[in-house]
């Protein structure tokens, strides 16, 4: 099962109101269960630097898609008002990294020219490091996410000025 399919499944389960889902095929077996007494709370305030680190320990995983609109609202609004700049969006939920390791240089810096298919960052999801490639050639105008920050599905990571 691909990361996008898994994300769509999690979103569907979160929206459906189901408390338990078991899926088994020849390739995999997955079981998702959430606490029926848990009521997700969506906050419209801007997230602080300390809040993302504490949030995963306090809230169950199935509530993450419900918080996505609030967390991505500000960057999405900024990306939409950027004129001819195209946002490179996260294809999954995970942790954003600008380099392959703590002592390694960043894949790209603001002002760098990138080619379509060039690796520009990594997103760690479920202990897997996924290389994220540029979807088009252009110049990096702005980095929308801080290094080692949690990201949501479809959240803008970089603004790219097409060339």
């Amino acid at each position: 099962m691909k990361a996008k399919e898994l994300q769509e499944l999690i979103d569907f389960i979160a929206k459906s109101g189901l408390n338990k889902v078991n899926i088994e095929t020849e390739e995999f077996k997955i079981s998702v269960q959430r606490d029926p007494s848990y009521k997700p709370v969506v906050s419209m305030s801007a997230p602080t630097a300390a809040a993302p680190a504490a949030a995963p320990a306090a809230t169950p995983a199935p509530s993450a898609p419900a918080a996505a609109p609030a967390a991505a609202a500000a960057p999405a609004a900024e990306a939409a008002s950027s004129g001819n700049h195209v946002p490179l969006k996260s294809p999954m939920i995970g942790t954003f990294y600008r380099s392959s390791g703590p002592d390694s240089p960043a894949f790209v810096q603001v002002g760098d020219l990138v080619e379509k298919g060039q690796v520009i960052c990594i997103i760690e999801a479920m202990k897997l490091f996924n290389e994220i490639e540029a979807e088009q050639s252009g110049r990096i105008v702005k980095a929308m996410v801080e290094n080692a920050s949690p990201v949501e599905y479809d959240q803008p990571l970089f603004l790219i000025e097409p060339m």
Side-chain angles (χ1 to χ4, degrees), residues 2 9 14 18 24 38 42 58 61 76 83-84 86 88 101-103 107 114-115 122-123 125 134 150-151:
K2 295 182 180 175
L9 177 63
L18 297 174
E24 187 171 343
Y38 177 74
V42 177
N84 66 342
V86 178
L88 174 73
D103 298 330
F107 289 110
V114 295
E115 297 294 324
I122 292 177
I123 295 181
V151 294

Side-chain angles (χ1 to χ4, degrees), residues 96-108 120-122 129 147-148:
F96 170 85
Y97 294 105
R98 294 191 65 175
S99 64
S100 60
D103 298 330
S104 302
F107 289 110
V108 294
I120 62 171
C121 65
I122 292 177
F129 291 88
N147 191 44

Side-chain angles (χ1 to χ4, degrees), residues 39-108:
K39 303 290 184 212
V41 177
V42 177
S43 174
M44 297 308 283
S45 64
T48 62
T59 57
S63 69
E78 186 175 334
S81 66
S82 63
N84 66 342
H85 300 147
V86 178
L88 174 73
K89 296 181 179 182
S90 175
M92 64 190 70
I93 294 174
T95 304
F96 170 85
Y97 294 105
R98 294 191 65 175
S99 64
S100 60
D103 298 330
S104 302
F107 289 110
V108 294

Side-chain angles (χ1 to χ4, degrees), residues 12-77:
F12 172 76
I13 293 168
K15 291 176 185 173
S16 72
L18 297 174
N19 291 327
K20 185 173 182 180
V21 175
N22 293 317
I23 299 173
E24 187 171 343
T25 69
E26 292 178 9
E27 299 171 352
F28 66 90
K29 180 179 179 180
I30 186 169
S31 177
V32 179
Q33 183 174 358
R34 67 176 162 180
D35 182 4
S37 64
Y38 177 74
K39 303 290 184 212
V41 177
V42 177
S43 174
M44 297 308 283
S45 64
T48 62
T59 57
S63 69

Side-chain angles (χ1 to χ4, degrees), residues 87-158:
L88 174 73
K89 296 181 179 182
S90 175
M92 64 190 70
I93 294 174
T95 304
F96 170 85
Y97 294 105
R98 294 191 65 175
S99 64
S100 60
D103 298 330
S104 302
F107 289 110
V108 294
Q109 299 289 341
V110 172
D112 287 355
L113 291 175
V114 295
E115 297 294 324
K116 181 178 181 176
Q118 177 181 342
V119 175
I120 62 171
C121 65
I122 292 177
I123 295 181
E124 178 188 7
M126 300 188 322
K127 306 280 184 191
L128 296 174
F129 291 88
N130 303 282
E131 293 182 337
I132 307 304
E133 299 175 349
E135 296 172 350
Q136 64 185 31
S137 298
R139 180 180 309 277
I140 302 291
V141 176
K142 184 173 184 177
M144 305 290 287
V145 181
E146 294 295 320
N147 191 44
S149 297
V151 294
E152 297 291 335
Y153 173 74
D154 216 27
Q155 177 179 351
L157 304 174
F158 292 95

